[in-house]
Amino acid sequence: MRLLAVASECAPLIKTGGLADVVGALPAALAAHGVAVTTLLPGYPAVMAAIGDAPVLHGFPALFGGPARLLHVRQAGGDLLVLDAPHFFARPGSPYLTPQGGEWKDNAIRFAALAKAAATIATGGVPGLCFDAVHAHDWQAGLVPTYLRFAPGPRKPVLFTIHNLAFQGKFPLSIFPQLGLPPEALSVQGLEYYGTVGFLKAGLWYADRISTVSPTYAAEIATPALGMGLDGLLRGRGGQVSGVLNGLDTADFDPTRDSCLAARFDAADPTPRAANKAALQRRMGLAEDPSAPLFGFVGRLAWQKGVDLLLGAAGAMLAEGAQIALLGTGEWGLEEGCRGLAAAHPGRVGVHIGFDEALARLVYGGSDVIVVPSRFEPCGLAQLAALRYGALPLVAHVGGLVDSVVDANEMALAEGIGTGFHFAPVTAEMLEATVPRVLRVWRDQALWRRLQGNALRTDVSWHRSAARYAALLRAMIADAG
């Protein structure tokens, strides 16, 4: 099967979040199931620098106001196509934001250009490229199925994957004439979305199949509580919506050879983790105390991630003799809250504002518990990395956290199958109330080691999920005839 994947970012070339990890890892995982993936990516400065002098496959003389080229790079796991459109992508800042932090005013047209180029490629407009299906990711690729729906000739089926429904790509109606779509596309049965042009909504409407990144999140977004205005559409698509749990690149996240760790280890002998804990305590300015349970957090400091809940429950952790290590960046108020907590508890709370990949690996490899208190979580990476590195996840009972962490409740402990801890409802009070349960297990070190072994042996790779994606793609192609 030949699959064209379309996305706005792809690790390791360009990354702002989990989307890039999925887009970067999935091609190699799908190759093992007979799916050859070619990924189309915008030619941001970082991407252009990484690919060097790549050959030109095709030229677009006038792509929404400027010339563009399609470059081709062969790489491990799958081929890469880069849309070199300098008038849209040769800019400083992130893929979506200016250096000052505001959105690029032409984001709608920038990603419409990506989608239009993808539709041209998928319909045979570039000699030598032929595909059986298209996989479009998130709102930035939401117009791919739209352009294909109105393109002449046989349609290529499209799988559209939602990585986070909160980011929808909504733009003023005034941009519609610039998109080059027929008038009938601007309707409730199309792009129109509460008086705006909705890119993600268009993807959900016109795609042949829809997937999201965990089974529980797929169910949650079909409800008014978490559907963010799109739950009715998603319920209407019914059995065409699937949840496929994300995996982790286990060749990259590998505690047996990770150079970011002070000591490497595996499930057979996790005792070297003690050296990582000591190294993390030193790095974060914590007292070097092996007997203190160490709670870690890695992620965006944002309301969605429940950082305020963690700050609210920190007192209960500290009262039980625990330490806390926080790594992340995000909302100013939450950054200040983290700094204030550390200032109030020197040697007990360590904070690093910013992102440091090496330090993140040490937090996973040295913490006893990784806290993931997200109010909603499509899948989540932190709990998968925690399992891989033997830190037991303490997670909110939502989304992909439910699907990837087995709660060590009384029944699970009796059966010996727990890998972490859940709390619900998602409040600071309930997180605080769960801390004593975690620490009761911690104080029984023989039991803790058994749970830690369960976590380390959990298969968090892409193997099962890639098989599900391959089956989903084949069923979609068969249905399309």
Side-chain angles (χ1 to χ4, degrees):
M1 185 197 308
R2 296 158 299 180
L3 181 69
L4 175 65
V6 186
S8 60
E9 49 188 274
C10 175
L13 297 171
I14 186 75
K15 174 180 174 178
T16 69
L19 166 65
D21 292 308
V22 175
V23 175
L26 197 50
L30 283 172
H33 298 275
V35 182
V37 181
T38 297
T39 303
L40 174 64
L41 189 67
Y44 310 114
V47 174
M48 298 301 294
I51 66 172
D53 188 20
V56 179
L57 278 188
H58 186 73
F60 299 91
L63 184 64
F64 291 94
R69 306 181 303 162
L70 188 66
L71 311 180
H72 179 221
V73 180
R74 296 192 183 278
Q75 58 178 15
D79 285 2
L80 181 70
L81 299 174
V82 175
L83 181 62
D84 178 23
H87 56 303
F88 288 135
F89 304 122
R91 302 176 181 182
S94 86
Y96 322 114
L97 305 177
T98 69
Q100 293 73 39
E103 293 187 1
W104 292 108
K105 295 185 184 302
D106 60 348
N107 269 349
I109 308 306
R110 295 172 75 220
F111 293 106
L114 178 69
K116 183 66 173 177
T120 300
I121 296 164
T123 52
V126 177
L129 295 181
C130 182
F131 297 97
D132 301 303
V134 179
H135 189 182
H137 294 268
D138 260 354
W139 75 261
Q140 296 89 349
L143 292 193
V144 173
T146 311
Y147 283 121
L148 288 172
R149 166 64 178 79
F150 293 102
R155 282 195 66 237
K156 287 293 193 300
V158 182
L159 170 65
F160 183 73
T161 294
I162 309 161
H163 294 263
N164 191 334
L165 196 69
F167 301 102
Q168 297 189 2
K170 293 185 288 187
F171 301 99
L173 288 175
S174 59
I175 66 106
F176 180 76
Q178 302 175 61
L179 300 179
L181 289 163
E184 59 265 32
L186 188 63
S187 69
V188 174
Q189 289 78 37
L191 275 72
E192 196 278 330
Y193 182 55
Y194 295 106
T196 69
V197 171
F199 277 38
L200 186 132
K201 190 253 186 168
L204 300 180
W205 185 266
Y206 288 117
D208 295 83
R209 295 287 184 96
I210 299 165
S211 72
T212 191
V213 291
S214 70
T216 295
Y217 190 61
E220 289 173 342
I221 61 177
T223 69
L226 288 174
M228 299 185 179
L230 292 165
D231 53 288
L233 192 164
L234 289 161
R235 287 195 300 274
R237 296 300 306 262
Q240 296 170 326
V241 181
S242 303
V244 182
L245 188 67
N246 277 350
L248 192 70
D249 184 346
T250 51
D252 180 23
F253 287 83
D254 183 356
T256 68
R257 61 182 187 88
D258 193 329
S259 61
C260 299
L261 300 179
R264 265 66 78 189
F265 59 92
D266 58 19
D269 182 17
T271 54
R273 290 190 88 256
N276 294 318
K277 182 174 180 176
L280 177 61
Q281 288 170 325
R282 290 191 296 271
R283 177 76 185 273
M284 299 294 281
L286 302 172
E288 197 169 327
D289 181 359
S291 68
L294 178 50
F295 288 75
F297 173 89
V298 177
R300 285 188 295 117
L301 303 181
W303 179 88
Q304 179 208 328
K305 298 296 184 178
V307 178
D308 56 314
L309 309 183
L310 174 55
L311 294 175
M317 297 174 183
L318 297 171
E320 295 274 3
Q323 297 176 337
I324 302 173
L326 295 157
L327 167 62
T329 184
E331 298 168 13
W332 179 85
L334 293 173
E335 289 185 355
E336 286 298 292
C338 292
R339 289 190 182 101
L341 185 67
H345 301 279
R348 306 284 306 286
V349 179
V351 171
H352 180 96
I353 300 298
F355 188 72
D356 182 323
E357 180 65 32
L359 180 55
R361 301 297 180 94
L362 190 58
V363 175
Y364 293 131
S367 297
D368 299 301
V369 180
I370 293 293
V371 188
V372 191
S374 304
R375 286 181 165 89
F376 64 92
E377 192 60 72
C379 177
L381 173 67
Q383 85 284 4
L384 299 180
L387 292 167
R388 180 72 168 149
Y389 282 69
L392 300 191
L394 169 54
V395 303
H397 189 85
V398 297
L401 306 179
V402 174
D403 297 324
S404 54
V405 178
V406 179
D407 182 50
N409 55 40
E410 289 299 321
M411 291 296 291
L413 290 175
E415 295 295 324
I417 58 173
T419 60
F421 307 89
H422 294 189
F423 71 96
V426 186
T427 64
E429 293 77 14
M430 199 62 208
L431 174 56
E432 180 176 331
T434 307
V435 169
R437 178 162 73 96
V438 176
L439 294 180
R440 279 196 300 273
V441 179
W442 160 259
R443 293 183 182 111
D444 183 344
Q445 279 292 296
L447 176 57
W448 188 269
R449 296 302 177 208
R450 288 198 292 274
L451 296 184
Q452 192 174 60
N454 292 346
L456 285 164
R457 287 188 292 272
T458 299
D459 182 4
V460 296
S461 75
W462 275 103
H463 178 69
R464 286 194 303 267
S465 296
R468 289 202 62 198
Y469 268 119
L472 178 58
L473 290 163
R474 289 193 167 91
M476 179 181 75
I477 292 171
D479 288 347

